[in-house]
Amino acid sequence: MTTNAYAQLALYLALLGLLAWPLGRYLADVMAGRSRVVTGPLGAVERCGYRLAGVDPAHEMDWKRYALALLLFNLLGALFVYALQRLQGWLPLNPQGFGAVSPDSAFNTAISFVANTNWQGYAGESTMSHLTQMLALAVQNFLSAATGIAVVFALIRGLARHGAATVGNFWVDLTRATLYVLLPLSLLLAVVLVGQGVVQNFQADRQAQTVTTVQYQRPLLDAAGNPVRDAAGQPRTETVTTRAQTLPQGPVASQEAIKMLGTNGGGFFNANSAHPYENPTPLSNLLQMLAILLIPAALCFAFGREVGDIRQGWAVLAAMTLLFVVFALAAIWAEQQGNPGWRALGVDQAAGAWQAGGNMEGKETRFGIVASALFATVTTAASCGAVNAMHDSFTALGGLVPMWLMQLGEVVFGGVGSGLYGMLVFALLAVFIAGLMIGRTPEYLGKKIEAFDMKMVALVILATPTLVLAGTALALLVEPGRAGILNPGGHGFSEVLYALSSAANNNGSAFAGLSANTPFYNVLLGLAMWFGRFAVIVPVLAIAGSLAAKPRLAVTAGTLPTHGPLFVLLLIGAVVLVGALTYVPALALGPVAEHLALWAR
Amino acid sequence: MKLIRPALVLFAALTLVTGVAYPLAVTVVGQALFPAQADGSLIVRDGELVGSRLIGQSFTDPRYFWGRPSATGPMPYNGGASGGSNLGPANPALKQAVEDRIAALRAADPGNARPVPVELVTASGSGLDPHISPAAAQWQADRVARLRGLSPARVRALIAAHTEGRQWGWLGEPRVNVLALNLALDAAR
């Protein structure tokens, strides 16, 4: 570990805290309708929209109606994204002339973007028209994040209110989160990113003439477009010499900003944030990492404010930060160790003033080890899934970190909204376990936690592991599932486990060696993403409705305080315990076995 | 149903705002403030577009500095198909690739027995990495100087002139832009 590693981590956390504090206050005020932004001239535009839509913003919904509105809206979004992909060949803003996306890939991508996952089976630069990127994908980047914010505020209201029948108005929450939070932040970040070198235009790709020629082998095709084979049945190739290089263009920066702020993660290009046109400098990298965790961290403060006790927000944030630091240091350490197999080959992997050293396969020079490993931790702590280095090429333990962070349910900061509502569910579990230990009825923020609430908590906590483990088992049992694996041995198993963990937890990053753009994986992962998202959201809203109706109990000497260090430890314990009990056997078969094999040689 | 109309109207309105107005606004502001960056940081030499400062190019001629190995297909540094190798750390194919790259580097510079900087034998994440570390540039300096008939000091000075430190002294890693360095080499004749 270099000094610079600690410096970059410390700088990141300090800036995150500094930015999240004021944003938390703003978020709370905007979502409650108290902010001057809402009551001012911009609010007139918002109210005009409600009139058009026939929405009475003062009319609140009970949890069932809230959930129904949310599901309906997201279903509509999925249908629209699917349709646009299938029709893009006939629509404008398609300078590369891309045809329709295949039905299974379009199904997968539609769910993926609606569910805030942004798993990408396709390669952006060779599949999606500019119109599809903007009107379908970028729009869902906003709306799926706004959906997350809406859900967490419904839950916060459930905790803050007593004897109430309603948890808010979904249309109002959705609109405010989009217009007042995501949109201005994205505008600002996008323009700064352009300044760093992220492209932003509506041109077709440019063709450059490179300095020297490049030679490569191209398969020979006959007149019908089929490969020509030699006598032995091998496809014949021809040597091509070229100086042409494609320089891809498009509205990248605008999509990049919301991709991070909404913890979406779907890149404009295949290489995602490793691509120099998406993430050109170390500064753009820092800003992207900050953007990922900014709203999730700010929501902790907004939560504390709305329940009338800011210490409650600090406690949740402290638990998240402690877990985050441990995971980040583990990832940086593992990657800096390098690859033991290369030592005998005369490769210099030592970190020094003039090189990053370590395991540089799949990593960019400008980011080196620290900014790559830190990014991997940030993106999987959140439900972002953007990558600036190829996780598939991480060392065994370095790859275990992002995988386990996702499997913990992405509650270490987590996705926009989904991180905090996931963590609050774990808080309910923590007080429940503590209540069992001391023999008292569990309470959280003065709300008695009863059988119905715990049933919903259990649903939330069991839904994603079921999808991950059953899905992985299924994929490994059938031929189309095994056919996608690239790497041999334990690492191949890790590729499948990672894919299901990523999909069901709505992350979207990948051990990208897995060939997942097949009908089998597109359907399996599409279903995992849909249920991983909405089979969690509906029980969370049920908890919100149930808690809102309850009276608030007075604090007594027997009440377990939920703002101190003891509770922070309890909360971390609940998260780690569930994550470890569920996933250690699977992880032992994948990254752990691989690590032992790699270092035993 | 009373939920259908709000769903349709708000979806349409928010789609227009976030999917049309927002990217247009970013394009207008971005192009006005940072026109060169917004169009891809292009490099034009003698009226010809030779590449971008941000997108690396393949160099296999020993008279030039070589960049990171690139795993894009069908040719290296294919700007139309970015991506990494995705080979796992224990994959024999990765070890073979590293061995092949070491052999090629040694063949181009038989007198150089120093250990090879790791970046010169590992594929980047994007396959388009425009940079190498200063260590990787220094490792190649004597070869380039010898084959071009330039003094090693001159080549090292060029490397130094094209080395960027950590941003703000803190962020990322020090690096050398390979395309810019090679263009400067050509101009130094």
Side-chain angles (χ1 to χ4, degrees), chain A residues 84-117:
Chain A
L84 210 61
Q85 288 179 87
R86 300 287 292 144
L87 300 173
Q88 68 174 8
W90 293 280
L91 296 172
L93 266 182
N94 185 7
Q96 314 294 331
F98 294 133
V101 182
S102 71
D104 57 293
S105 176
F107 166 81
N108 181 283
T109 305
I111 292 180
S112 176
F113 277 72
V114 167
N116 198 249
T117 311

PDB file of all heavy atoms in Angstrom, chain A residues 84-117:
ATOM      1  N   LEU A  84     -38.549   1.249 -28.674  1.00  0.00           N
ATOM      2  CA  LEU A  84     -37.595   2.135 -29.355  1.00  0.00           C
ATOM      3  C   LEU A  84     -36.404   1.354 -29.904  1.00  0.00           C
ATOM      4  O   LEU A  84     -35.903   1.637 -31.000  1.00  0.00           O
ATOM      5  CB  LEU A  84     -37.117   3.208 -28.375  1.00  0.00           C
ATOM      6  CG  LEU A  84     -36.746   4.536 -29.021  1.00  0.00           C
ATOM      7  CD1 LEU A  84     -37.937   5.141 -29.735  1.00  0.00           C
ATOM      8  CD2 LEU A  84     -36.229   5.507 -27.978  1.00  0.00           C
ATOM      9  N   GLN A  85     -35.941   0.357 -29.156  1.00  0.00           N
ATOM     10  CA  GLN A  85     -34.809  -0.442 -29.648  1.00  0.00           C
ATOM     11  C   GLN A  85     -35.197  -1.236 -30.885  1.00  0.00           C
ATOM     12  O   GLN A  85     -34.412  -1.399 -31.810  1.00  0.00           O
ATOM     13  CB  GLN A  85     -34.360  -1.432 -28.574  1.00  0.00           C
ATOM     14  CG  GLN A  85     -33.653  -0.815 -27.408  1.00  0.00           C
ATOM     15  CD  GLN A  85     -33.279  -1.885 -26.403  1.00  0.00           C
ATOM     16  OE1 GLN A  85     -32.232  -2.510 -26.498  1.00  0.00           O
ATOM     17  NE2 GLN A  85     -34.144  -2.117 -25.443  1.00  0.00           N
ATOM     18  N   ARG A  86     -36.432  -1.753 -30.879  1.00  0.00           N
ATOM     19  CA  ARG A  86     -36.873  -2.573 -32.002  1.00  0.00           C
ATOM     20  C   ARG A  86     -37.111  -1.726 -33.244  1.00  0.00           C
ATOM     21  O   ARG A  86     -37.042  -2.227 -34.357  1.00  0.00           O
ATOM     22  CB  ARG A  86     -38.158  -3.323 -31.620  1.00  0.00           C
ATOM     23  CG  ARG A  86     -38.011  -4.251 -30.422  1.00  0.00           C
ATOM     24  CD  ARG A  86     -37.227  -5.506 -30.730  1.00  0.00           C
ATOM     25  NE  ARG A  86     -37.955  -6.371 -31.638  1.00  0.00           N
ATOM     26  CZ  ARG A  86     -37.370  -7.107 -32.585  1.00  0.00           C
ATOM     27  NH1 ARG A  86     -36.065  -7.053 -32.742  1.00  0.00           N
ATOM     28  NH2 ARG A  86     -38.094  -7.880 -33.366  1.00  0.00           N
ATOM     29  N   LEU A  87     -37.423  -0.443 -33.040  1.00  0.00           N
ATOM     30  CA  LEU A  87     -37.798   0.408 -34.176  1.00  0.00           C
ATOM     31  C   LEU A  87     -36.690   1.359 -34.602  1.00  0.00           C
ATOM     32  O   LEU A  87     -36.871   2.140 -35.535  1.00  0.00           O
ATOM     33  CB  LEU A  87     -39.054   1.231 -33.815  1.00  0.00           C
ATOM     34  CG  LEU A  87     -40.296   0.422 -33.463  1.00  0.00           C
ATOM     35  CD1 LEU A  87     -41.412   1.325 -32.971  1.00  0.00           C
ATOM     36  CD2 LEU A  87     -40.765  -0.377 -34.683  1.00  0.00           C
ATOM     37  N   GLN A  88     -35.523   1.337 -33.944  1.00  0.00           N
ATOM     38  CA  GLN A  88     -34.537   2.398 -34.161  1.00  0.00           C
ATOM     39  C   GLN A  88     -34.064   2.492 -35.605  1.00  0.00           C
ATOM     40  O   GLN A  88     -33.669   3.557 -36.064  1.00  0.00           O
ATOM     41  CB  GLN A  88     -33.345   2.238 -33.220  1.00  0.00           C
ATOM     42  CG  GLN A  88     -32.469   1.022 -33.502  1.00  0.00           C
ATOM     43  CD  GLN A  88     -31.211   1.009 -32.628  1.00  0.00           C
ATOM     44  OE1 GLN A  88     -31.064   1.808 -31.734  1.00  0.00           O
ATOM     45  NE2 GLN A  88     -30.305   0.090 -32.899  1.00  0.00           N
ATOM     46  N   GLY A  89     -34.131   1.381 -36.330  1.00  0.00           N
ATOM     47  CA  GLY A  89     -33.686   1.388 -37.715  1.00  0.00           C
ATOM     48  C   GLY A  89     -34.492   2.337 -38.597  1.00  0.00           C
ATOM     49  O   GLY A  89     -34.001   2.813 -39.618  1.00  0.00           O
ATOM     50  N   TRP A  90     -35.749   2.568 -38.208  1.00  0.00           N
ATOM     51  CA  TRP A  90     -36.609   3.441 -39.035  1.00  0.00           C
ATOM     52  C   TRP A  90     -36.683   4.852 -38.474  1.00  0.00           C
ATOM     53  O   TRP A  90     -37.391   5.689 -39.020  1.00  0.00           O
ATOM     54  CB  TRP A  90     -38.022   2.853 -39.110  1.00  0.00           C
ATOM     55  CG  TRP A  90     -38.056   1.569 -39.869  1.00  0.00           C
ATOM     56  CD1 TRP A  90     -38.062   1.422 -41.235  1.00  0.00           C
ATOM     57  CD2 TRP A  90     -38.079   0.247 -39.333  1.00  0.00           C
ATOM     58  NE1 TRP A  90     -38.072   0.098 -41.561  1.00  0.00           N
ATOM     59  CE2 TRP A  90     -38.090  -0.655 -40.424  1.00  0.00           C
ATOM     60  CE3 TRP A  90     -38.081  -0.258 -38.028  1.00  0.00           C
ATOM     61  CZ2 TRP A  90     -38.106  -2.041 -40.256  1.00  0.00           C
ATOM     62  CZ3 TRP A  90     -38.093  -1.632 -37.858  1.00  0.00           C
ATOM     63  CH2 TRP A  90     -38.113  -2.511 -38.957  1.00  0.00           C
ATOM     64  N   LEU A  91     -36.015   5.103 -37.370  1.00  0.00           N
ATOM     65  CA  LEU A  91     -36.167   6.390 -36.699  1.00  0.00           C
ATOM     66  C   LEU A  91     -34.955   7.277 -36.958  1.00  0.00           C
ATOM     67  O   LEU A  91     -33.890   6.794 -37.359  1.00  0.00           O
ATOM     68  CB  LEU A  91     -36.344   6.159 -35.192  1.00  0.00           C
ATOM     69  CG  LEU A  91     -37.628   5.397 -34.835  1.00  0.00           C
ATOM     70  CD1 LEU A  91     -37.653   5.028 -33.366  1.00  0.00           C
ATOM     71  CD2 LEU A  91     -38.852   6.218 -35.204  1.00  0.00           C
ATOM     72  N   PRO A  92     -35.091   8.587 -36.745  1.00  0.00           N
ATOM     73  CA  PRO A  92     -33.974   9.519 -37.020  1.00  0.00           C
ATOM     74  C   PRO A  92     -32.857   9.417 -35.978  1.00  0.00           C
ATOM     75  O   PRO A  92     -32.933   8.599 -35.058  1.00  0.00           O
ATOM     76  CB  PRO A  92     -34.660  10.887 -36.962  1.00  0.00           C
ATOM     77  CG  PRO A  92     -35.841  10.687 -36.089  1.00  0.00           C
ATOM     78  CD  PRO A  92     -36.314   9.292 -36.333  1.00  0.00           C
ATOM     79  N   LEU A  93     -31.852  10.277 -36.125  1.00  0.00           N
ATOM     80  CA  LEU A  93     -30.691  10.344 -35.223  1.00  0.00           C
ATOM     81  C   LEU A  93     -29.988   8.992 -35.127  1.00  0.00           C
ATOM     82  O   LEU A  93     -29.678   8.507 -34.054  1.00  0.00           O
ATOM     83  CB  LEU A  93     -31.105  10.814 -33.827  1.00  0.00           C
ATOM     84  CG  LEU A  93     -30.963  12.319 -33.579  1.00  0.00           C
ATOM     85  CD1 LEU A  93     -31.345  12.659 -32.144  1.00  0.00           C
ATOM     86  CD2 LEU A  93     -29.527  12.774 -33.853  1.00  0.00           C
ATOM     87  N   ASN A  94     -29.762   8.394 -36.281  1.00  0.00           N
ATOM     88  CA  ASN A  94     -29.117   7.084 -36.341  1.00  0.00           C
ATOM     89  C   ASN A  94     -28.017   7.144 -37.394  1.00  0.00           C
ATOM     90  O   ASN A  94     -28.067   6.448 -38.409  1.00  0.00           O
ATOM     91  CB  ASN A  94     -30.177   6.026 -36.690  1.00  0.00           C
ATOM     92  CG  ASN A  94     -29.618   4.611 -36.649  1.00  0.00           C
ATOM     93  OD1 ASN A  94     -28.475   4.384 -36.238  1.00  0.00           O
ATOM     94  ND2 ASN A  94     -30.417   3.661 -37.087  1.00  0.00           N
ATOM     95  N   PRO A  95     -26.997   8.003 -37.181  1.00  0.00           N
ATOM     96  CA  PRO A  95     -26.008   8.249 -38.241  1.00  0.00           C
ATOM     97  C   PRO A  95     -25.212   7.006 -38.624  1.00  0.00           C
ATOM     98  O   PRO A  95     -24.701   6.916 -39.734  1.00  0.00           O
ATOM     99  CB  PRO A  95     -25.104   9.333 -37.648  1.00  0.00           C
ATOM    100  CG  PRO A  95     -25.315   9.283 -36.189  1.00  0.00           C
ATOM    101  CD  PRO A  95     -26.705   8.808 -35.983  1.00  0.00           C
ATOM    102  N   GLN A  96     -25.114   6.020 -37.710  1.00  0.00           N
ATOM    103  CA  GLN A  96     -24.374   4.812 -38.052  1.00  0.00           C
ATOM    104  C   GLN A  96     -25.255   3.797 -38.782  1.00  0.00           C
ATOM    105  O   GLN A  96     -24.768   2.748 -39.205  1.00  0.00           O
ATOM    106  CB  GLN A  96     -23.790   4.140 -36.805  1.00  0.00           C
ATOM    107  CG  GLN A  96     -23.091   5.067 -35.841  1.00  0.00           C
ATOM    108  CD  GLN A  96     -21.841   5.672 -36.422  1.00  0.00           C
ATOM    109  OE1 GLN A  96     -21.185   5.079 -37.260  1.00  0.00           O
ATOM    110  NE2 GLN A  96     -21.508   6.878 -36.006  1.00  0.00           N
ATOM    111  N   GLY A  97     -26.564   4.083 -38.874  1.00  0.00           N
ATOM    112  CA  GLY A  97     -27.463   3.181 -39.571  1.00  0.00           C
ATOM    113  C   GLY A  97     -27.645   1.835 -38.892  1.00  0.00           C
ATOM    114  O   GLY A  97     -27.697   0.799 -39.551  1.00  0.00           O
ATOM    115  N   PHE A  98     -27.736   1.807 -37.563  1.00  0.00           N
ATOM    116  CA  PHE A  98     -27.914   0.532 -36.854  1.00  0.00           C
ATOM    117  C   PHE A  98     -29.326   0.007 -37.065  1.00  0.00           C
ATOM    118  O   PHE A  98     -30.298   0.769 -37.075  1.00  0.00           O
ATOM    119  CB  PHE A  98     -27.662   0.703 -35.353  1.00  0.00           C
ATOM    120  CG  PHE A  98     -26.246   1.052 -35.011  1.00  0.00           C
ATOM    121  CD1 PHE A  98     -25.958   2.073 -34.130  1.00  0.00           C
ATOM    122  CD2 PHE A  98     -25.188   0.350 -35.586  1.00  0.00           C
ATOM    123  CE1 PHE A  98     -24.641   2.399 -33.816  1.00  0.00           C
ATOM    124  CE2 PHE A  98     -23.876   0.673 -35.272  1.00  0.00           C
ATOM    125  CZ  PHE A  98     -23.604   1.703 -34.393  1.00  0.00           C
ATOM    126  N   GLY A  99     -29.477  -1.321 -37.185  1.00  0.00           N
ATOM    127  CA  GLY A  99     -30.781  -1.940 -37.335  1.00  0.00           C
ATOM    128  C   GLY A  99     -31.421  -2.198 -35.986  1.00  0.00           C
ATOM    129  O   GLY A  99     -30.904  -1.782 -34.943  1.00  0.00           O
ATOM    130  N   ALA A 100     -32.557  -2.916 -36.012  1.00  0.00           N
ATOM    131  CA  ALA A 100     -33.278  -3.213 -34.778  1.00  0.00           C
ATOM    132  C   ALA A 100     -32.446  -4.130 -33.888  1.00  0.00           C
ATOM    133  O   ALA A 100     -31.726  -5.004 -34.363  1.00  0.00           O
ATOM    134  CB  ALA A 100     -34.604  -3.884 -35.109  1.00  0.00           C
ATOM    135  N   VAL A 101     -32.541  -3.916 -32.581  1.00  0.00           N
ATOM    136  CA  VAL A 101     -31.891  -4.801 -31.611  1.00  0.00           C
ATOM    137  C   VAL A 101     -32.711  -6.092 -31.535  1.00  0.00           C
ATOM    138  O   VAL A 101     -33.939  -6.059 -31.657  1.00  0.00           O
ATOM    139  CB  VAL A 101     -31.831  -4.104 -30.239  1.00  0.00           C
ATOM    140  CG1 VAL A 101     -31.132  -4.969 -29.220  1.00  0.00           C
ATOM    141  CG2 VAL A 101     -31.137  -2.754 -30.368  1.00  0.00           C
ATOM    142  N   SER A 102     -32.053  -7.238 -31.327  1.00  0.00           N
ATOM    143  CA  SER A 102     -32.767  -8.516 -31.300  1.00  0.00           C
ATOM    144  C   SER A 102     -33.773  -8.532 -30.145  1.00  0.00           C
ATOM    145  O   SER A 102     -33.573  -7.846 -29.142  1.00  0.00           O
ATOM    146  CB  SER A 102     -31.780  -9.671 -31.137  1.00  0.00           C
ATOM    147  OG  SER A 102     -31.255  -9.665 -29.824  1.00  0.00           O
ATOM    148  N   PRO A 103     -34.876  -9.315 -30.284  1.00  0.00           N
ATOM    149  CA  PRO A 103     -35.920  -9.274 -29.244  1.00  0.00           C
ATOM    150  C   PRO A 103     -35.389  -9.609 -27.848  1.00  0.00           C
ATOM    151  O   PRO A 103     -35.734  -8.938 -26.876  1.00  0.00           O
ATOM    152  CB  PRO A 103     -36.933 -10.323 -29.710  1.00  0.00           C
ATOM    153  CG  PRO A 103     -36.685 -10.496 -31.163  1.00  0.00           C
ATOM    154  CD  PRO A 103     -35.241 -10.179 -31.409  1.00  0.00           C
ATOM    155  N   ASP A 104     -34.543 -10.636 -27.727  1.00  0.00           N
ATOM    156  CA  ASP A 104     -34.107 -11.015 -26.370  1.00  0.00           C
ATOM    157  C   ASP A 104     -33.183  -9.964 -25.781  1.00  0.00           C
ATOM    158  O   ASP A 104     -33.247  -9.642 -24.605  1.00  0.00           O
ATOM    159  CB  ASP A 104     -33.448 -12.393 -26.366  1.00  0.00           C
ATOM    160  CG  ASP A 104     -32.271 -12.492 -27.315  1.00  0.00           C
ATOM    161  OD1 ASP A 104     -32.499 -12.422 -28.537  1.00  0.00           O
ATOM    162  OD2 ASP A 104     -31.130 -12.617 -26.863  1.00  0.00           O
ATOM    163  N   SER A 105     -32.312  -9.391 -26.609  1.00  0.00           N
ATOM    164  CA  SER A 105     -31.417  -8.353 -26.107  1.00  0.00           C
ATOM    165  C   SER A 105     -32.201  -7.098 -25.743  1.00  0.00           C
ATOM    166  O   SER A 105     -31.931  -6.454 -24.723  1.00  0.00           O
ATOM    167  CB  SER A 105     -30.357  -8.027 -27.156  1.00  0.00           C
ATOM    168  OG  SER A 105     -29.552  -6.968 -26.721  1.00  0.00           O
ATOM    169  N   ALA A 106     -33.220  -6.769 -26.551  1.00  0.00           N
ATOM    170  CA  ALA A 106     -34.032  -5.581 -26.263  1.00  0.00           C
ATOM    171  C   ALA A 106     -34.832  -5.779 -24.976  1.00  0.00           C
ATOM    172  O   ALA A 106     -34.975  -4.851 -24.174  1.00  0.00           O
ATOM    173  CB  ALA A 106     -34.967  -5.295 -27.429  1.00  0.00           C
ATOM    174  N   PHE A 107     -35.342  -7.010 -24.756  1.00  0.00           N
ATOM    175  CA  PHE A 107     -36.057  -7.345 -23.516  1.00  0.00           C
ATOM    176  C   PHE A 107     -35.143  -7.132 -22.315  1.00  0.00           C
ATOM    177  O   PHE A 107     -35.485  -6.461 -21.338  1.00  0.00           O
ATOM    178  CB  PHE A 107     -36.520  -8.804 -23.599  1.00  0.00           C
ATOM    179  CG  PHE A 107     -36.979  -9.414 -22.300  1.00  0.00           C
ATOM    180  CD1 PHE A 107     -38.253  -9.169 -21.820  1.00  0.00           C
ATOM    181  CD2 PHE A 107     -36.133 -10.243 -21.564  1.00  0.00           C
ATOM    182  CE1 PHE A 107     -38.682  -9.733 -20.625  1.00  0.00           C
ATOM    183  CE2 PHE A 107     -36.553 -10.807 -20.369  1.00  0.00           C
ATOM    184  CZ  PHE A 107     -37.835 -10.552 -19.900  1.00  0.00           C
ATOM    185  N   ASN A 108     -33.921  -7.686 -22.427  1.00  0.00           N
ATOM    186  CA  ASN A 108     -32.956  -7.586 -21.342  1.00  0.00           C
ATOM    187  C   ASN A 108     -32.624  -6.129 -21.056  1.00  0.00           C
ATOM    188  O   ASN A 108     -32.624  -5.682 -19.910  1.00  0.00           O
ATOM    189  CB  ASN A 108     -31.703  -8.374 -21.725  1.00  0.00           C
ATOM    190  CG  ASN A 108     -30.644  -8.358 -20.655  1.00  0.00           C
ATOM    191  OD1 ASN A 108     -29.941  -7.370 -20.500  1.00  0.00           O
ATOM    192  ND2 ASN A 108     -30.521  -9.435 -19.899  1.00  0.00           N
ATOM    193  N   THR A 109     -32.334  -5.378 -22.109  1.00  0.00           N
ATOM    194  CA  THR A 109     -31.900  -3.993 -21.931  1.00  0.00           C
ATOM    195  C   THR A 109     -33.026  -3.124 -21.393  1.00  0.00           C
ATOM    196  O   THR A 109     -32.793  -2.238 -20.567  1.00  0.00           O
ATOM    197  CB  THR A 109     -31.382  -3.441 -23.260  1.00  0.00           C
ATOM    198  OG1 THR A 109     -30.358  -4.311 -23.747  1.00  0.00           O
ATOM    199  CG2 THR A 109     -30.818  -2.055 -23.090  1.00  0.00           C
ATOM    200  N   ALA A 110     -34.263  -3.385 -21.844  1.00  0.00           N
ATOM    201  CA  ALA A 110     -35.392  -2.588 -21.359  1.00  0.00           C
ATOM    202  C   ALA A 110     -35.542  -2.749 -19.849  1.00  0.00           C
ATOM    203  O   ALA A 110     -35.619  -1.768 -19.103  1.00  0.00           O
ATOM    204  CB  ALA A 110     -36.676  -3.014 -22.070  1.00  0.00           C
ATOM    205  N   ILE A 111     -35.545  -3.991 -19.373  1.00  0.00           N
ATOM    206  CA  ILE A 111     -35.651  -4.220 -17.932  1.00  0.00           C
ATOM    207  C   ILE A 111     -34.436  -3.655 -17.218  1.00  0.00           C
ATOM    208  O   ILE A 111     -34.529  -3.009 -16.175  1.00  0.00           O
ATOM    209  CB  ILE A 111     -35.786  -5.728 -17.632  1.00  0.00           C
ATOM    210  CG1 ILE A 111     -37.134  -6.223 -18.139  1.00  0.00           C
ATOM    211  CG2 ILE A 111     -35.633  -5.996 -16.149  1.00  0.00           C
ATOM    212  CD1 ILE A 111     -37.366  -7.686 -17.905  1.00  0.00           C
ATOM    213  N   SER A 112     -33.288  -3.857 -17.825  1.00  0.00           N
ATOM    214  CA  SER A 112     -32.040  -3.450 -17.214  1.00  0.00           C
ATOM    215  C   SER A 112     -32.023  -1.958 -16.891  1.00  0.00           C
ATOM    216  O   SER A 112     -31.606  -1.553 -15.810  1.00  0.00           O
ATOM    217  CB  SER A 112     -30.912  -3.809 -18.184  1.00  0.00           C
ATOM    218  OG  SER A 112     -29.691  -3.372 -17.709  1.00  0.00           O
ATOM    219  N   PHE A 113     -32.492  -1.147 -17.829  1.00  0.00           N
ATOM    220  CA  PHE A 113     -32.435   0.301 -17.597  1.00  0.00           C
ATOM    221  C   PHE A 113     -33.578   0.777 -16.725  1.00  0.00           C
ATOM    222  O   PHE A 113     -33.418   1.719 -15.944  1.00  0.00           O
ATOM    223  CB  PHE A 113     -32.378   1.052 -18.936  1.00  0.00           C
ATOM    224  CG  PHE A 113     -30.972   1.134 -19.482  1.00  0.00           C
ATOM    225  CD1 PHE A 113     -30.352   0.020 -20.005  1.00  0.00           C
ATOM    226  CD2 PHE A 113     -30.241   2.309 -19.421  1.00  0.00           C
ATOM    227  CE1 PHE A 113     -29.045   0.070 -20.468  1.00  0.00           C
ATOM    228  CE2 PHE A 113     -28.932   2.377 -19.878  1.00  0.00           C
ATOM    229  CZ  PHE A 113     -28.336   1.249 -20.405  1.00  0.00           C
ATOM    230  N   VAL A 114     -34.743   0.113 -16.813  1.00  0.00           N
ATOM    231  CA  VAL A 114     -35.865   0.512 -15.961  1.00  0.00           C
ATOM    232  C   VAL A 114     -35.565   0.138 -14.512  1.00  0.00           C
ATOM    233  O   VAL A 114     -35.905   0.867 -13.588  1.00  0.00           O
ATOM    234  CB  VAL A 114     -37.158  -0.159 -16.454  1.00  0.00           C
ATOM    235  CG1 VAL A 114     -38.264  -0.026 -15.433  1.00  0.00           C
ATOM    236  CG2 VAL A 114     -37.580   0.468 -17.777  1.00  0.00           C
ATOM    237  N   ALA A 115     -34.883  -0.987 -14.318  1.00  0.00           N
ATOM    238  CA  ALA A 115     -34.632  -1.472 -12.963  1.00  0.00           C
ATOM    239  C   ALA A 115     -33.363  -0.864 -12.358  1.00  0.00           C
ATOM    240  O   ALA A 115     -32.863  -1.359 -11.364  1.00  0.00           O
ATOM    241  CB  ALA A 115     -34.538  -2.993 -12.959  1.00  0.00           C
ATOM    242  N   ASN A 116     -32.829   0.201 -12.977  1.00  0.00           N
ATOM    243  CA  ASN A 116     -31.645   0.875 -12.434  1.00  0.00           C
ATOM    244  C   ASN A 116     -30.433  -0.058 -12.382  1.00  0.00           C
ATOM    245  O   ASN A 116     -29.532   0.100 -11.565  1.00  0.00           O
ATOM    246  CB  ASN A 116     -31.941   1.439 -11.027  1.00  0.00           C
ATOM    247  CG  ASN A 116     -30.932   2.506 -10.620  1.00  0.00           C
ATOM    248  OD1 ASN A 116     -30.114   2.294  -9.727  1.00  0.00           O
ATOM    249  ND2 ASN A 116     -30.951   3.633 -11.282  1.00  0.00           N
ATOM    250  N   THR A 117     -30.419  -1.061 -13.248  1.00  0.00           N
ATOM    251  CA  THR A 117     -29.308  -2.003 -13.245  1.00  0.00           C
ATOM    252  C   THR A 117     -28.271  -1.592 -14.286  1.00  0.00           C
ATOM    253  O   THR A 117     -27.088  -1.490 -14.009  1.00  0.00           O
ATOM    254  CB  THR A 117     -29.803  -3.420 -13.591  1.00  0.00           C
ATOM    255  OG1 THR A 117     -30.925  -3.723 -12.781  1.00  0.00           O
ATOM    256  CG2 THR A 117     -28.724  -4.439 -13.360  1.00  0.00           C
TER     257      THR A 117
END
